[in-house]
Amino acid sequence: MAESVVWIAGVGAVAGLGAALARRFAREDYRVAVSGRSLDKLQTVVADIEAYGGKANAIVADLGIEADVLAAIAQVNELGTLRAAIFNVGNSVSKPALELSAELFEQTWRASTLGGFLFAREATRTLLANGGGSLLFTGATASLRGKPPYTAFAAGKAGLRSVSQSFAREFGPKNVHVAHVVIDGSIDGERVQSRTPDYMAKLGEDGALKLDDIADAYWYLHTQPRSAWTQELDLRPFKEPF
C-alpha cells in the first residue's frame, strides 16, 4: 500500500509553523513533503523529522511560479498518496502605502494569492484523483481587515481567503475538505523571537500562539468527520484582544 503523504508549502526555519506542521503529520506516520525556497532550511527540517523517526522529503519551489508548482506536485505524487496539502506561505510586508511600489505589491500578491491558487489547483487535482483529502490554508489577521502599513499583505491574504472559500464550495461536495486558518496573534517562533524579543517578553506567558498548539488545530481539521467540516477556524492567545 502506498504511503500517505502531506505536502506543506511555506516551510522555513525549524522553529517555524511550517516545520511544526510537518512534525505533527510525521508523528501520524505521514510522509511529509516540505516545500520552500531555501534548500538549506528544508534539509534542516527534514533532518529534524528523520531524527525522531519520521519520513520527509525536501522540494525546492517558488509557489508564485507555475512551472515550480507543476514540478513540485510531480515530485509529491512520486512519494505516495497525497492525503493533505497545506499552504503556509507567509510573506508579511510592511510598507506605507505611498512608499509601496507596484513591484513589491505584485510580489506580495504573487506569493500569497497567485501562489495559493496554483498550489490549490494542483493539489486538488491529485486529491480528487485519490478520492479526497484536506486542503488547508494559513491566513492571518490581515485576511479579515486591512490597515497600514500592511496594504500589500492584507490584499494578498484577503485574496487567498477568497481562493479558499471558492475551492471549499466547489470541491467540498467532492470530498475535499478545504479550510482556512486565521492566525490572529503573534506566533512564538523563530521569526518573532529573533526580530522582536522585547515584544515577546511583553506578551508574557501564553501571550503568543505556540507552534505545537497551532499544529494540533491543523491536524484536527484534517481528521474532522465530513458530517461537520469547518471552513474557517480562527486561533488566538486567550488574552489577545479582538
Side-chain angles (χ1 to χ4, degrees), residues 156-238:
K157 281 296 187 182
L160 179 66
R161 185 182 185 222
S162 290
V163 169
S164 169
Q165 292 174 345
S166 299
F167 269 71
R169 291 182 169 95
E170 184 169 0
F171 300 108
K174 299 179 181 179
N175 205 36
V176 176
H177 180 192
V178 183
H180 179 255
V181 183
V182 177
I183 307 296
D184 188 20
S186 297
I187 296 176
D188 187 4
E190 184 272 339
R191 179 178 297 178
V192 177
Q193 289 174 353
S194 63
R195 295 180 182 180
T196 56
D198 292 342
Y199 175 69
M200 284 296 296
K202 182 180 177 181
L203 291 176
E205 185 179 2
D206 292 334
L209 293 105
K210 295 186 182 300
L211 292 170
D212 290 344
D213 294 339
I214 301 172
D216 281 341
Y218 280 72
W219 179 254
Y220 159 74
L221 288 171
H222 175 58
T223 56
Q224 275 185 319
R226 62 183 182 178
S227 70
W229 272 352
T230 297
Q231 202 288 304
E232 186 162 82
L233 181 69
D234 56 339
L235 302 174
R236 65 182 63 85
F238 77 102

Side-chain angles (χ1 to χ4, degrees), residues 78-221:
E78 291 177 354
L79 299 176
T81 303
L82 185 67
R83 298 297 183 195
I86 304 175
F87 185 79
N88 182 61
V89 175
N91 80 308
S92 178
V93 171
S94 172
K95 199 78 170 179
L98 300 187
E99 299 174 16
L100 182 60
S101 68
E103 181 181 12
L104 181 56
F105 186 94
E106 183 178 0
Q107 287 175 356
T108 308
W109 164 82
R110 182 174 292 276
S112 283
T113 310
L114 179 62
F117 163 70
L118 293 173
F119 176 87
R121 186 188 69 188
E122 297 310 314
T124 299
R125 283 175 172 160
T126 295
L127 290 171
L128 289 171
N130 293 341
S134 300
L135 174 63
L136 310 179
F137 297 87
T138 298
T141 308
S143 303
L144 308 180
R145 67 172 188 262
K147 69 174 186 178
Y150 301 102
T151 301
F153 182 57
K157 281 296 187 182
L160 179 66
R161 185 182 185 222
S162 290
V163 169
S164 169
Q165 292 174 345
S166 299
F167 269 71
R169 291 182 169 95
E170 184 169 0
F171 300 108
K174 299 179 181 179
N175 205 36
V176 176
H177 180 192
V178 183
H180 179 255
V181 183
V182 177
I183 307 296
D184 188 20
S186 297
I187 296 176
D188 187 4
E190 184 272 339
R191 179 178 297 178
V192 177
Q193 289 174 353
S194 63
R195 295 180 182 180
T196 56
D198 292 342
Y199 175 69
M200 284 296 296
K202 182 180 177 181
L203 291 176
E205 185 179 2
D206 292 334
L209 293 105
K210 295 186 182 300
L211 292 170
D212 290 344
D213 294 339
I214 301 172
D216 281 341
Y218 280 72
W219 179 254
Y220 159 74
L221 288 171

